[in-house]
Amino acid sequence: CVWMVVIRRIICGMEKDMLKGLFTSYTSMVNEQHRLDVIANNLANVNTNGYKKEGATSQAFKDVFGIKIKDASEAANLPKKLGIMNMGVKIGENYTDYSEGPVKHTDNPFDIAIDGKGFFAVEFANKAGETSIKYTRDGNFTMNAEGYLTTRDGDYLLNTRNARIRLNPNLSAEINALGEIYQDGNLVATIGVKDFDDYNYLEHYGENYFQPVQDAQARPATDYKLDVGYLETSNVSVVDEMVNMIAVQRHYEANQKVITTYDSSLEIAVNQLGKVQ
């Protein structure tokens, strides 16, 4: 009887450790799936003008645990709770690479690329008809029948005062490096180029736009010039993303093999180890 108790404890201990290993591999697979989704989205936007690629971070349990036990924000006399922490990989935050993409020549007088920092301000209208200001690096603009400069989706390009830019459709327009638009020798509008002090307070908003969060305020951009007749393309490198995709697939497959190995070991521990002959 004593030996049976000892054997049961050994088996329970092995099962407990194995279950932790299964959970660790599972959380790692979830994280790799998340990374794969980000890579797939980057590849889907490789031909999207002005698109900024995204990446995903991850944190190991030891890093999360180390931060938690060193947290001095809690009162010293209160019991310190570790909170909820997964015993495996923690999916981190997505981040955006704001580096400039390659520029292509189009000869279209309303195609504009920003050389330097900054974003075009655009009046965006949602399906409910509500308008708000969004920001984009996609300078593929056109003039509609009423003379307004718009995006290809019909959203209005804004000037330095966040008002719509309207030109005379019967006159040719010239745009200089400062965004000043001249018709018949007269200055009729100036394209509004905005910037932010901290890009961490920007988030993607579908349709290749960005929007500020946590009350971040846009300011006039200073370190830029406009290249008319050019478009900034996506900063996604197909080769880099494919290499990353292969690495993610290898990590995913490795964790699958770990789970298979643990499953076989658990089967032996449950059905064979300690069996009375």
Side-chain angles (χ1 to χ4, degrees):
C1 292
V2 174
W3 281 107
M4 291 298 296
V5 171
V6 172
I7 290 173
R8 287 195 186 98
R9 289 180 178 177
I10 293 174
I11 293 174
C12 289
M14 292 177 62
E15 290 177 346
K16 185 177 181 180
D17 291 338
M18 289 180 183
L19 290 175
K20 287 182 180 178
L22 285 172
F23 189 78
T24 299
S25 297
Y26 160 73
T27 56
S28 181
M29 292 173 69
V30 172
N31 182 67
E32 296 304 327
Q33 180 63 54
H34 175 69
R35 291 179 60 197
L36 189 62
D37 291 341
V38 173
I39 293 172
N41 184 61
N42 287 338
L43 289 173
N45 286 281
V46 69
N47 293 319
T48 302
N49 294 323
Y51 177 80
K52 301 304 176 188
K53 67 178 181 179
E54 293 184 310
T57 63
S58 61
Q59 294 176 281
F61 169 77
K62 64 181 181 67
D63 298 325
V64 179
F65 182 75
I67 293 173
K68 193 69 177 179
I69 62 177
K70 294 179 181 179
D71 183 8
S73 63
E74 298 176 0
N77 295 327
L78 295 177
K80 193 166 188 176
K81 298 180 180 179
L82 290 179
I84 300 174
M85 293 187 297
N86 293 332
M87 303 296 288
V89 177
K90 175 182 180 295
I91 297 178
E93 298 179 351
N94 284 9
Y95 64 89
T96 303
D97 180 359
Y98 289 98
S99 61
E100 294 183 44
V103 175
K104 65 179 180 181
H105 184 56
T106 65
D107 260 343
N108 186 330
F110 295 118
D111 282 346
I112 309 169
I114 300 176
D115 182 3
K117 292 185 175 182
F119 301 85
F120 296 108
V122 173
E123 182 184 288
F124 171 77
N126 61 21
K127 293 181 179 179
E130 301 169 336
T131 61
S132 59
I133 298 177
K134 307 299 181 187
Y135 302 90
T136 183
R137 295 277 297 191
D138 183 2
N140 186 205
F141 301 115
T142 186
M143 182 191 298
N144 64 18
E146 298 175 343
Y148 289 105
L149 292 186
T150 68
T151 66
R152 295 294 176 177
D153 294 324
D155 297 320
Y156 294 95
L157 177 64
L158 302 180
N159 62 17
T160 53
R161 299 189 301 275
N162 290 336
R164 298 176 181 178
I165 296 176
R166 188 174 189 180
L167 307 178
N168 186 340
N170 298 317
L171 298 176
S172 61
E174 296 181 1
I175 306 173
N176 62 21
L178 298 177
E180 298 171 338
I181 305 176
Y182 289 86
Q183 286 191 301
D184 198 22
N186 299 314
L187 176 63
V188 293
T190 301
I191 296 173
V193 180
K194 306 295 184 178
D195 202 7
F196 296 83
D197 293 324
D198 190 346
Y199 288 176
N200 288 322
Y201 293 97
L202 288 178
E203 66 178 7
H204 272 288
Y205 185 87
E207 301 184 14
N208 206 18
Y209 290 149
F210 294 93
Q211 67 177 4
V213 295
Q214 297 184 10
D215 298 325
Q217 296 296 323
R219 59 171 175 78
T222 55
D223 186 19
Y224 78 96
K225 71 180 184 71
L226 301 183
D227 295 327
V228 182
Y230 293 84
L231 282 178
E232 179 184 356
T233 59
S234 169
N235 67 349
V236 175
S237 169
V238 176
V239 174
D240 290 344
E241 297 302 313
M242 292 302 296
V243 170
N244 292 334
M245 180 179 289
I246 293 173
V248 167
Q249 290 176 331
R250 294 291 182 267
H251 295 162
Y252 194 91
E253 291 170 358
N255 281 285
Q256 282 181 315
K257 293 179 181 178
V258 170
I259 289 179
T260 302
T261 302
Y262 272 122
D263 182 61
S264 300
S265 300
L266 279 171
E267 182 181 3
I268 294 173
V270 172
N271 297 325
Q272 299 181 28
L273 187 62
K275 181 185 293 185
V276 177
Q277 299 294 332

